Amino acid sequence: MSYYDLNKTGQTSQFLQVLKDCVAEAGNTGLLHIEKQIEVDCKASHKELVTLVDRQNEQFIVNRIKEAFPHHKVMGEESYTGETFQSDDYVWIIDPIDGTTNYVHQKQCFAVSVALYHQGEGICGAVYNPSAKELFWVERGAGAYLNGHRLFLDGQQSRLADSLIATYIYYNDDEKYAGFDQFVDRIARTSRGVRMIGCGSLELAYVACGRFSAYFSFVQKPWDFAAGKLLIEEAGGIVTGLNGKPVDAYKSASILAGPKSLHEEMTAISNAILAM
């Protein structure tokens, strides 16, 4: 059953419908190319991959948004050059393929993530996992959903000792100097385990639906967390920096996301360990 079948009887905003169309078509385009010879380049390092599909997907999404909302602004992973935004701008934050390394090597565990923000607050967003045909979508004040099912974090694991945690680790000097390795060690020892999929938007979506108890990362770009942040908040959870402070949706930030009581427990650990 397609997401159109699941949601066609509901009333969705014009923004949300365009957003759903974009992530579904871009995700399915990714699937069409997955068994072909994919053109791959590197960005700043050999660990940061970009494919022709990333660029084509982003251009398709940008064109679709501009056709529908010509005065809106765009922050796309493959085209963003550091522009700043006015407080009244509508800003679409786009990751045309999140988990590109997974896409190239594993042919799975990747997603398309798009969110719309206004005055720094999320309006709506979606994360689409084409391999599993799963569409996570959210509208501010109307809830978070996986396909047609409402997501709630109430009653999810409330103690770190009972929790399975997701993360992303860069293994770089910034993490080392901040003591991030000590934080990871403490979380891994105290929880039931730590997992790293390599697709931040999908891992945040998995927190929203309860597959992971929480997620943390030393640094994430806006396109990595914009949609997932809103998903978790509308499901009843909390998303902040590792220090417990609010994050700016238009800037890179550390991320700590999960249900309230677990978030508080992990924040207390991070504030005791990390130099941030």
Side-chain angles (χ1 to χ4, degrees):
M1 182 179 292
S2 72
Y3 74 85
Y4 286 108
D5 296 323
L6 291 163
N7 296 294
K8 65 184 178 183
T9 59
Q11 295 297 314
T12 59
S13 70
Q14 185 182 10
F15 294 150
L16 186 59
Q17 194 58 57
V18 169
L19 191 151
K20 287 180 178 180
D21 291 342
C22 286
V23 297
E25 186 161 344
N28 291 331
T29 296
L31 280 183
L32 288 174
H33 288 82
I34 204 164
E35 298 302 333
K36 300 178 182 179
Q37 186 69 31
I38 301 173
E39 182 180 319
V40 182
D41 294 318
C42 295
K43 300 184 191 178
S45 80
H46 69 285
K47 293 185 177 183
E48 296 181 72
L49 304 184
V50 60
T51 71
L52 181 62
V53 181
D54 289 85
R55 296 186 175 111
Q56 290 178 336
N57 271 358
E58 182 165 313
Q59 192 59 59
F60 158 74
I61 295 170
V62 171
N63 290 345
R64 181 70 181 86
I65 290 167
K66 289 296 187 179
E67 287 172 5
F69 314 109
H71 301 298
H72 287 194
K73 303 295 179 63
V74 170
M75 177 190 280
E77 178 179 11
E78 308 309 334
S79 59
Y80 182 63
T81 57
E83 303 96 306
T84 58
F85 303 105
Q86 302 299 316
S87 61
D88 60 345
D89 285 336
Y90 285 89
V91 182
W92 295 76
I93 304 176
I94 303 165
D95 197 332
I97 293 184
D98 188 17
T100 300
T101 301
N102 293 345
Y103 181 68
V104 171
H105 288 275
Q106 298 178 312
K107 316 297 185 184
Q108 60 181 344
C109 298
F110 65 94
V112 179
S113 177
V114 181
L116 174 62
Y117 275 66
H118 181 239
Q119 297 181 338
E121 296 290 333
I123 295 177
C124 56
V127 176
Y128 182 52
N129 175 3
S131 300
K133 303 299 182 188
E134 290 183 330
L135 180 76
F136 297 85
W137 60 274
V138 58
E139 189 171 14
R140 173 71 70 183
Y145 299 82
L146 168 51
N147 293 338
H149 303 285
R150 182 83 180 261
L151 304 177
F152 295 99
L153 281 175
D154 294 342
Q156 296 293 332
Q157 295 93 336
S158 58
R159 298 191 314 147
L160 186 56
D162 300 325
S163 299
L164 183 65
I165 311 298
T167 188
Y168 188 81
I169 304 171
Y170 290 89
Y171 300 100
N172 61 24
D173 288 342
D174 289 340
E175 289 180 344
K176 180 180 178 181
Y177 295 146
F180 188 67
D181 56 340
Q182 299 173 49
F183 176 72
V184 173
D185 181 75
R186 176 74 175 275
I187 297 301
R189 289 175 181 272
T190 308
S191 68
R192 286 183 173 163
V194 173
R195 303 289 186 265
M196 187 164 70
I197 291 177
C199 180
S201 64
L202 202 54
E203 288 165 309
L204 288 168
Y206 285 176
V207 173
C209 73
R211 295 175 188 171
F212 287 124
S213 307
Y215 174 84
F216 68 90
S217 177
F218 187 76
V219 63
Q220 291 282 277
K221 299 291 180 62
W223 41 82
D224 296 318
F225 67 78
K229 178 177 184 292
L230 185 55
L231 276 166
I232 291 173
E233 291 171 345
E234 280 295 306
I238 298 174
V239 181
T240 67
L242 283 167
N243 56 10
K245 296 180 180 180
V247 298
D248 186 332
Y250 304 144
K251 296 180 179 179
S252 297
S254 65
I255 295 293
L256 177 57
K260 184 175 185 295
S261 57
L262 181 55
H263 183 277
E264 290 175 350
E265 186 178 358
M266 293 179 69
T267 301
I269 295 171
S270 67
N271 284 333
I273 293 175
L274 294 176
M276 297 184 70

